[in-house]
Amino acid sequence: MKNLDVKILTKHLDDPELHTLAAYERHGGYGALRKALKGGMTPEKIHEEVKASNLRGRGGAGFPTGIKWGFLPKQTEKPVYLVINADEGEPGTFKDRLIMERNPHSLIEGCILSCFALKANHCFIYIRGELFKAIKRIEQAIEEARAKGYVGPNVLGTGFRCEIVAHPGAGAYICGEEMALIESLEGKPGQPRNKPPFPAHVGLFGCPTIVNNVETIAYVPWIVENGGQAYSDLGSDRNGGLKIWGVSGSVKRPGLWELPMGIPMRYLIEECAGGMKDGKVMKGVIPGGSSCPPMLAREIDVALDIESIKKAGSMLGTGCVTVFEEGICTVRLAQRIAHFYEHESCGQCTPCREGTGWLYRNVKRLEHGDALEGGLGLLESICNRILGNTICALGDAAAMPIQGFIQRFGDEWAAHLGAGRCPIQG
Amino acid sequence: MSLAFSDAAMRRFEKIVSRYPNKQAALLPVLHLAQEEFGYVPPEAMEYVGALLGVPPIKVQHVATFYTMYNLKPVGRFHVQVCTNIACYLTGGPEIFAHLKRKLGVENKGTTADGVFTLEEVECLAACGNAPAIQVNDKHDHEWPIVYHEDQTVAKVDALIADLRKKASASP
Ligand SMILES: Cc1cc2nc3c(=O)[nH]c(=O)nc-3n(C[C@H](O)[C@H](O)[C@H](O)COP(=O)(O)O)c2cc1C
Ligand code: FES
């Protein structure tokens, strides 16, 4: 296994002042920015390092960051925007909040370097409105960086202009979807646009735009400072570097740990989170937020990289694992998840608006032992009518876990049919 | 319609608008400001904000009704929001929510007769590692209006409610 002691974003978390510029710099912060801008690194060179790093987007889809950056038009009259997705709303996910509250300058330094690489002069950080402390910390960090000449009209006296704005969301999970986020930033309801055109060509205010997750961009300074290859080497095949992993639910020590891509899920749950609490027995896990199909307790030796977990039938998602125990009825758990997606569908396209409601109502009926004729087949057919037929991936996010629960816990689901009540939890 | 921002709010308004390439982009943060100033977002506030930003009131309404953080009706001094999503579901969130409904004598989204508490069941708060989590908004606190309370239990929630009650009677 890889060296588990290397840390990047969490290395100095024991410093309670890390969120201040003084402490961040004491630990070497803004060294990468100086190296790049004063040491003559070109935007192209930074882009190359990010490509070489095998950094994959940490927002859930795992798209290679260097390749995404390459989608920007080579030549454009329009301003280019960098937008940071700090909407953290996928149930079970709580990692970006840590970065913003405790190590906000890592994100700000990453934003400046990424703007430089993308030849963008404006960056918006779209922060979930409920995360008031994170918004405050990010605003303070921007002000401190501006006072030091890292942000503003003339970064480090090089003539490079970089403006960063923290923008509060207002409560809507859908705004985590990049096109909805862009609409929301423009002061509209968060209703996703059809793709194509992709945001790299027609994004914020109609201009070329790159949307990246908080954690993705917070790793950029280390990559610039140490080289893309060094970052890649910290992780596993095609899954570069470290990641902040989370464990929540019925474990002894829920929390967050920064560890290499590719570590076994079992290590995370048993060594880091201390295994099950109160003598409970693990029944299964939801690997990376509620849109990921669940996995059984006996499957947790899977390596946490994008390809391995996909092969095992689920998704890496946001890398925050939720653990549930024997005795928990998976239909009732799925009902809670289905309720979430029904509530959060933006209502724009029919398969999602209607489908998420059908899913919720039918899972609820099943939980009460009162399923309609057609039973599990009906649920599966609703899933199939949603999957791939919606404007954005919220519909898929609602359908995939239901399919996954039926696949993994089919006997338990079937036992609810005609039972008149929940056979597991009563 | 007689709603208007105070001078201090107007200064904040100008600062917010200056950050965006057009005025409509400032709509979400300005609606937050309006809610802070007026306590909630009634139709008059939507009209007022629309006039300030040059956005038709119907568009402001479309936005104000789309997002859950804008209160279209008055809420209590403390808006107590209990997460019952997956991590909180597994660690006692629903039990805490049920307990608070009984204790405060209200249903979901209900406000106590004295106007001190509004209770609501909400989705994941990105606090799953410290579940169950509760978000409390204080309408009167303009410095720090939103506070998270994590690792909650029924006993801790009782203490929290007592605390908030004390705060309400000390500075109504
Ligand atoms: C319904 C939905 C919700 C999403 N929520 C988030 C989110 O809260 N945070 C995030 O970074 N990405 C979220 N995404 C993924 C984004 O659309 C986008 O892929 C991501 O921000 C890209 O950044 P990355 O390449 O750095 O991961 C969501 C996607 C969907 C379909
Ligand atoms: S599930 Fe309650 S905070 Fe995430």
Side-chain angles (χ1 to χ4, degrees):
Chain A
M1 205 158 31
K2 293 275 174 182
N3 182 350
L4 302 182
D5 295 328
V6 184
K7 306 288 169 211
I8 298 175
L9 295 173
T10 61
K11 187 168 176 188
H12 301 292
L13 274 195
D14 55 346
D15 183 342
E17 295 300 309
L18 183 61
H19 60 280
T20 64
L21 184 119
Y24 183 69
E25 290 201 306
R26 206 160 51 238
H27 299 297
Y30 290 105
L33 184 67
R34 281 178 199 286
K35 172 183 163 170
L37 268 72
K38 298 299 236 184
M41 272 179 101
T42 58
E44 292 73 21
K45 175 71 179 151
I46 296 179
H47 188 179
E48 260 169 48
E49 295 299 339
V50 170
K51 260 193 219 156
S53 74
N54 278 318
L55 175 64
R56 311 272 293 258
R58 305 291 197 234
F63 196 83
T65 307
I67 294 180
K68 182 189 276 189
W69 288 10
F71 293 155
L72 282 177
K74 295 283 163 282
Q75 219 83 82
T76 170
E77 302 286 294
K78 294 181 173 171
V80 172
Y81 289 103
L82 173 65
V83 173
I84 305 302
N85 192 338
D87 198 46
E88 192 149 77
E90 171 82 0
T93 305
F94 54 107
K95 66 187 181 65
D96 297 335
R97 188 178 152 217
L98 177 85
I99 298 171
M100 292 190 283
E101 291 186 357
R102 303 289 312 285
N103 194 358
H105 282 285
S106 64
L107 175 61
I108 302 303
E109 188 178 8
C111 290
I112 307 165
L113 286 164
S114 304
C115 277
F116 183 71
L118 299 167
K119 301 184 178 146
N121 300 114
H122 296 273
C123 171
F124 287 96
I125 307 178
Y126 186 105
I127 311 174
R128 197 178 155 169
E130 290 89 344
L131 298 180
F132 187 78
K133 185 172 177 183
I135 295 172
K136 280 284 165 210
R137 287 263 160 106
I138 291 290
E139 282 178 344
Q140 278 162 7
I142 294 171
E143 284 320 307
E144 283 183 309
R146 184 186 306 282
K148 267 271 184 148
Y150 299 152
V151 168
N154 186 9
V155 177
L156 289 173
T158 60
F160 167 56
R161 173 168 179 230
C162 185
E163 300 293 346
I164 306 180
V165 172
H167 178 94
Y173 163 71
I174 188 60
C175 290
E177 195 280 337
E178 58 184 12
M179 281 300 195
L181 186 150
I182 286 172
E183 285 283 299
S184 180
L185 250 176
E186 294 181 356
K188 301 173 192 162
Q191 294 187 315
R193 301 177 192 161
N194 270 304
K195 291 192 262 193
F198 290 93
H201 288 266
V202 185
L204 185 61
F205 308 121
C207 299
T209 302
I210 293 292
V211 182
N212 273 128
N213 171 259
V214 169
E215 187 189 351
T216 311
I217 295 301
Y219 276 117
V220 168
W222 196 92
I223 292 167
V224 168
E225 194 150 24
N226 300 276
Q229 189 61 49
Y231 185 80
S232 181
D233 290 345
L234 294 176
S236 66
D237 187 35
R238 287 190 296 144
N239 287 257
L242 307 184
K243 153 135 198 50
I244 299 183
W245 305 98
V247 185
S248 69
S250 308
V251 292
K252 282 204 185 95
R253 294 186 301 270
L256 294 162
W257 295 270
E258 189 179 32
L259 290 163
M261 292 290 283
I263 53 144
M265 189 192 287
R266 182 181 297 282
Y267 180 85
L268 194 63
I269 295 173
E270 291 182 354
E271 302 303 316
C272 301
M276 301 301 286
K277 70 175 176 192
D278 308 334
K280 295 178 179 187
V281 177
M282 192 190 307
K283 181 168 183 174
V285 303
I286 299 170
S290 63
S291 62
C292 302
M295 296 175 77
L296 300 169
R298 62 174 146 81
E299 295 179 287
I300 66 169
D301 286 306
V302 64
L304 289 172
D305 66 67
I306 291 154
E307 287 74 25
S308 301
I309 197 156
K310 195 168 167 197
K311 215 160 84 193
S314 188
M315 297 186 313
L316 190 67
T318 62
C320 290
V321 183
T322 311
V323 183
F324 56 94
E325 73 268 25
E326 289 292 352
I328 291 290
C329 170
T330 55
V331 182
R332 198 173 289 184
L333 183 59
Q335 178 189 321
R336 181 66 188 86
I337 293 172
H339 181 257
F340 171 76
Y341 289 106
E342 190 225 357
H343 180 251
E344 300 298 334
S345 171
C346 82
Q348 192 182 192
C349 64
T350 310
C352 177
R353 181 187 61 242
E354 303 303 322
T356 53
W358 291 352
L359 276 181
Y360 169 57
R361 288 189 300 276
N362 282 292
V363 173
K364 188 174 172 189
R365 288 192 80 123
L366 179 67
E367 167 57 13
H368 292 90
D370 179 30
L372 290 178
E373 212 182 299
L376 304 188
L378 175 63
L379 282 170
E380 280 174 333
S381 104
I382 300 171
C383 290
N384 288 331
R385 281 154 208 258
I386 298 173
L387 286 164
N389 293 326
T390 52
I391 294 176
C392 86
L394 190 143
D396 297 350
M400 286 181 304
I402 302 301
Q403 273 189 331
F405 272 111
I406 295 175
Q407 203 172 53
R408 295 285 202 294
F409 299 96
D411 290 348
E412 183 172 309
W413 283 52
H416 282 72
L417 292 168
R421 62 183 184 87
C422 171
I424 312 289
Q425 287 184 270
Chain B
M1 162 180 128
S2 59
L3 285 180
F5 282 161
S6 63
D7 289 348
M10 208 41 146
R11 280 193 294 278
R12 284 174 64 192
F13 169 80
E14 301 289 351
K15 201 170 154 196
I16 292 169
V17 170
S18 74
R19 295 177 186 149
Y20 299 90
N22 69 46
K23 282 188 169 176
Q24 184 172 352
L27 184 50
L28 265 63
V30 170
L31 279 172
H32 280 303
L33 180 64
Q35 175 152 303
E36 228 182 280
E37 281 286 290
F38 310 134
Y40 69 114
V41 188
E44 299 77 42
M46 296 180 203
E47 275 182 42
Y48 178 67
V49 164
L52 284 178
L53 293 174
V55 177
I58 185 72
K59 284 198 178 172
V60 180
Q61 188 192 16
H62 196 186
V63 167
T65 53
F66 185 85
Y67 296 93
T68 57
M69 285 182 77
Y70 302 126
N71 299 313
L72 306 175
K73 296 206 187 96
V75 290
R77 158 92 185 256
F78 298 108
H79 190 177
V80 178
Q81 299 162 70
V82 183
C83 174
T84 59
N85 213 309
I86 48 178
C88 296
Y89 175 89
L90 293 166
T91 51
E95 290 74 16
I96 286 177
F97 182 62
H99 173 75
L100 283 176
K101 279 204 288 194
R102 272 195 308 274
K103 186 180 172 92
L104 300 175
V106 293
E107 285 305 310
N108 189 22
K109 299 191 186 178
T111 301
T112 53
D114 59 6
V116 175
F117 296 104
T118 297
L119 179 67
E120 188 172 351
E121 181 178 16
V122 294
E123 302 298 354
C124 176
L125 293 169
C128 330
N130 297 84
I134 297 178
Q135 173 188 335
V136 178
N137 296 25
D138 180 352
K139 229 164 52 173
H140 294 188
D141 191 338
H142 292 225
E143 291 290 307
W144 208 273
I146 301 178
V147 176
Y148 273 26
H149 300 270
E150 303 176 60
D151 299 307
Q152 290 298 296
T153 59
V154 166
K156 280 193 200 169
V157 165
D158 282 341
L160 171 64
I161 294 294
D163 226 47
L164 296 176
R165 270 218 177 95
K166 226 184 278 162
K167 220 166 157 183
S169 45
S171 65

